[in-house]
Amino acid sequence: MVGAGPAGLAAAVYASSEGLRTVVFEHEAIGGQAGTSSMIRNYPGLSQGISGAKLAQETWQQAWTFGTTFLYMRQAESLSVNDGHYRLRLSDGGVLTSRTVIIATGATYRRLGIPSLEDLQGRGVSTAPPPARHRPCAGGRFSSPEAATPPGRPRCTWPSGPAM
């Protein structure tokens, strides 16, 4: 696995639990960008939410228990195919050869570069505006509000603006 964010860790759990020899390498931190989130509510099976750090720790522990090997502080520098096997060259000069490679690179967000804000990174402080209050509507974001609103009920509103 290339990347140890939630997707890479979940793939490692499933692969190693099926007896596949599994290696995960990560150039930053286990849990990836999600590991710094104070609360994740959109991860399957965790409807009440979980902190990113707790999710990363629990999933890492589960993958490790099934036999996953973790290589830290390494990046993929190249991927090639040779005789039906993938060759992944790593930043430390090592080469991994495998029949399957899963690339779960995750997300990296652009930072504002303001020193006083950078000091708050990882402390649960957000620079995003708070979500607007809205009522969900049947039919999806781009359907007609009238089609999504039963007679006698208030019209739908979206986070980006007033009632439609």
Side-chain angles (χ1 to χ4, degrees):
M1 311 294 157
V2 177
L9 290 172
V13 167
Y14 288 110
S16 58
S17 72
E18 292 297 321
L20 300 174
R21 194 169 64 176
T22 306
V23 177
V24 174
F25 67 93
E26 171 61 47
H27 76 284
E28 287 185 9
I30 297 298
Q33 182 274 332
T36 64
S37 296
S38 60
M39 185 62 67
I40 297 173
R41 289 189 175 90
N42 65 345
Y43 198 77
L46 301 171
S47 61
Q48 298 301 309
I50 187 171
S51 78
K54 180 80 169 162
L55 176 66
Q57 191 270 332
E58 292 287 332
T59 313
W60 174 89
Q61 179 68 45
Q62 192 174 18
W64 182 82
T65 300
F66 283 123
T68 297
T69 299
F70 288 89
L71 302 175
Y72 306 107
M73 306 310 292
R74 291 171 176 89
Q75 287 183 291
E77 293 199 343
S78 68
L79 176 64
S80 60
V81 179
N82 186 13
D83 293 329
H85 287 83
Y86 294 100
R87 292 177 40 91
L88 201 58
R89 190 167 53 85
L90 304 180
S91 57
D92 68 352
V95 175
L96 295 177
T97 303
S98 178
R99 290 181 288 168
T100 305
V101 174
I102 296 176
I103 301 173
T105 57
T108 302
Y109 295 102
R110 185 173 50 125
R111 304 281 261 291
L112 296 174
I114 300 170
S116 58
L117 289 179
E118 294 298 320
D119 293 342
L120 300 174
Q121 179 65 28
R123 297 186 183 188
V125 177
S126 174
T127 57
R133 295 190 178 270
H134 66 282
R135 290 182 298 280
C137 298
R141 173 142 171 105
F142 297 107
S143 64
S144 165
E146 288 75 24
T149 306
R153 300 234 4 228
R155 297 171 83 189
C156 298
T157 60
W158 301 112
S160 61
M164 299 177 85

